[in-house]
Amino acid sequence: MTNLARRSLLRAAAAVPVVSTLGFPAIVRAAAGPEFVFKYGNNLPLTHPLNVRSQEAANQVREASKGRMEVRIFPNNQLGGDTDMLAQVRSGGIEMFTPSALVVSTLAPSVAINAVGFAFGDYDQVWRAMDGKLGAYVRAAMQKAGLESFEKMWDNGFRQTTTSTAPIVNAQNMHGLKIRVPVSPLSIDMFKGLGAAPTSLQFSEVYSSLQTHIVDAQENPLPIVQVAKLYEVQKYCSLTNHMWDGYWFVLNPRAWQRLPKDLQGIVSDAFNQAGLKQREDVRKLNDAAVADLQSKGLTINHPSPDTFRTALRQAGFYGQWKNRFGNEAWDLLEQSVGKLA
Ligand code: X2X
């Protein structure tokens, strides 16, 4: 018997008592269970818009597919840290994952191009590039590295610097700073260029490493400082806006290809639309975050980007990363943000 035949038989068998006792055929499909289940892992608490909007998308998928397809969300590093989940989505242990572009760059180096220091000035530039040619370039690079992706990137945000020691007012204050950065060669290099002493740790380790002073500082967008309660273990927040970071929705290619075309359409529509709403959520959270974090005890300052940019230029950061990303990716970035190096 083929799998399909066996499945329909099972479904029919499961349906009989339900239909005959309740006369309610809508339950038939649910009784048999979904035909396709995608496990989706991520590194953020349930309260972050990434999880809120993903849950909405998952609900939409269940409804639009009439129960044939289910996306099960495993938030907050339940399945391991970023490096583990990246390995799992490639091997097929999970079907979906939202790594930051920084983290994907350990597989496909050009994917971190959006996070070049002080490149993007605002969200108009960001979305024009990531919904346009730069995003298409990066998605092709991910595909070569064995990862499918949805078209719309989700927002993480402009990254800001928090410390437990002293505020960062200029590049000078970065000297020797023990700062946690994601598992990302670009982040390490950039903070070294600024004179800091960066360490790569998975996000799952950040709160405890700040609490135990393995590191004194970290850098993340404000909504993450809020939902992961990093304000509990940090004193200062400097709005350095040093890079823009987003999440790619990546998929295991074999699992994706196994989905019938109609389900592919339902899933990608649901998640792309949810991504657009998530971008708005993060924008609104950002607007309210400064006052909220101040009320939670963080001292906030607004440093000028000038000394940081100068330090990076002097360290040869832009020239070096132009070589690493390659001319094509770099040109696409500069088409959006103007000349960098
Ligand atoms: O690990 C981080 O800092 C985070 C949450 O921003 C990413 O996923 C890159």
Side-chain angles (χ1 to χ4, degrees):
M1 199 182 339
T2 64
N3 270 344
L4 205 68
R6 190 176 300 122
R7 218 183 288 128
S8 349
L9 203 70
L10 285 174
R11 195 177 297 139
V16 174
V18 178
V19 174
S20 58
T21 55
L22 298 176
F24 189 31
I27 296 183
V28 171
R29 182 83 67 187
E35 280 170 69
F36 298 93
V37 176
F38 272 17
K39 292 197 285 297
Y40 159 40
N42 70 59
N43 67 358
L44 293 183
L46 265 179
T47 44
H48 191 277
L50 176 96
N51 273 311
V52 176
R53 294 299 182 182
S54 291
Q55 188 57 59
E56 284 177 14
N59 295 347
Q60 192 180 321
V61 166
R62 197 186 327 98
E63 278 160 36
S65 71
K66 304 199 171 42
R68 285 173 68 204
M69 166 108 196
E70 193 185 324
V71 177
R72 281 186 199 144
I73 306 177
F74 297 84
N76 214 10
N77 299 297
Q78 276 174 18
L79 301 179
D82 290 313
T83 312
D84 313 301
M85 287 189 280
L86 191 59
Q88 289 171 39
V89 77
R90 290 183 85 211
S91 70
I94 59 178
E95 286 76 19
M96 297 165 84
F97 172 40
T98 36
S100 146
L102 291 166
V103 171
V104 190
S105 77
T106 55
L107 279 182
S110 67
V111 177
I113 182 91
N114 62 266
V116 168
F118 303 96
F120 286 115
D122 60 38
Y123 273 111
D124 286 345
Q125 286 181 350
V126 167
W127 299 129
R128 224 179 302 127
M130 303 322 294
D131 289 337
K133 287 187 193 155
L134 190 63
Y137 177 92
V138 163
R139 291 181 65 221
M142 289 195 285
Q143 200 171 35
K144 279 200 202 111
L147 289 173
E148 285 299 331
S149 57
F150 293 140
E151 198 182 321
K152 296 295 178 197
M153 198 180 193
W154 293 41
D155 195 13
N156 189 0
F158 282 88
R159 298 182 78 94
Q160 320 293 358
T161 309
T162 67
T163 76
S164 57
T165 45
I168 305 295
V169 176
N170 54 44
Q172 204 60 31
N173 303 138
M174 288 278 183
H175 268 274
L177 183 68
K178 286 198 295 177
I179 184 168
R180 173 275 174 177
V181 297
V183 182
S184 145
L186 177 74
S187 304
I188 288 280
D189 213 56
M190 180 171 153
F191 279 91
K192 281 190 179 154
L194 293 172
T199 308
S200 272
L201 291 171
Q202 305 198 78
F203 188 64
S204 47
E205 317 283 351
V206 172
Y207 187 98
S208 63
S209 60
L210 291 168
Q211 191 175 35
T212 56
H213 295 278
I214 289 171
V215 289
D216 295 319
Q218 70 83 43
E219 43 86 50
N220 251 302
L222 298 183
I224 289 197
V225 179
Q226 290 178 300
V227 298
K229 299 190 166 35
L230 301 182
Y231 52 83
E232 292 177 352
V233 286
Q234 297 281 269
K235 287 205 185 75
Y236 302 96
C237 177
S238 302
L239 302 179
T240 46
N241 285 304
H242 52 273
M243 57 168 70
W244 177 78
D245 183 24
Y247 285 105
W248 283 110
F249 237 108
V250 301
L251 297 129
N252 176 274
R254 292 172 300 284
W256 182 244
Q257 275 137 30
R258 271 198 299 273
L259 278 192
K261 281 271 170 294
D262 63 322
L263 288 185
Q264 284 186 350
I266 285 174
V267 178
S268 59
D269 283 356
F271 280 89
N272 284 327
Q273 283 164 23
L276 297 180
K277 292 184 192 146
Q278 188 268 358
R279 293 177 185 182
E280 273 313 301
D281 296 340
V282 171
R283 188 198 284 266
K284 284 186 196 137
L285 272 182
N286 266 320
D287 291 344
V290 169
D292 177 59
L293 289 170
Q294 267 166 338
S295 79
K296 292 187 159 100
L298 279 190
T299 302
I300 297 197
N301 71 298
H302 294 74
S304 148
D306 300 345
T307 62
F308 302 99
R309 281 209 189 100
T310 306
L312 287 181
R313 287 214 178 92
Q314 281 169 358
F317 174 82
Y318 293 104
Q320 191 196 331
W321 281 87
K322 181 178 177 175
N323 285 337
R324 285 172 80 163
F325 285 128
N327 285 338
E328 192 181 347
W330 197 265
D331 286 350
L332 289 173
L333 177 63
E334 286 191 335
Q335 277 173 30
S336 307
V337 304
K339 275 267 170 247
L340 284 165

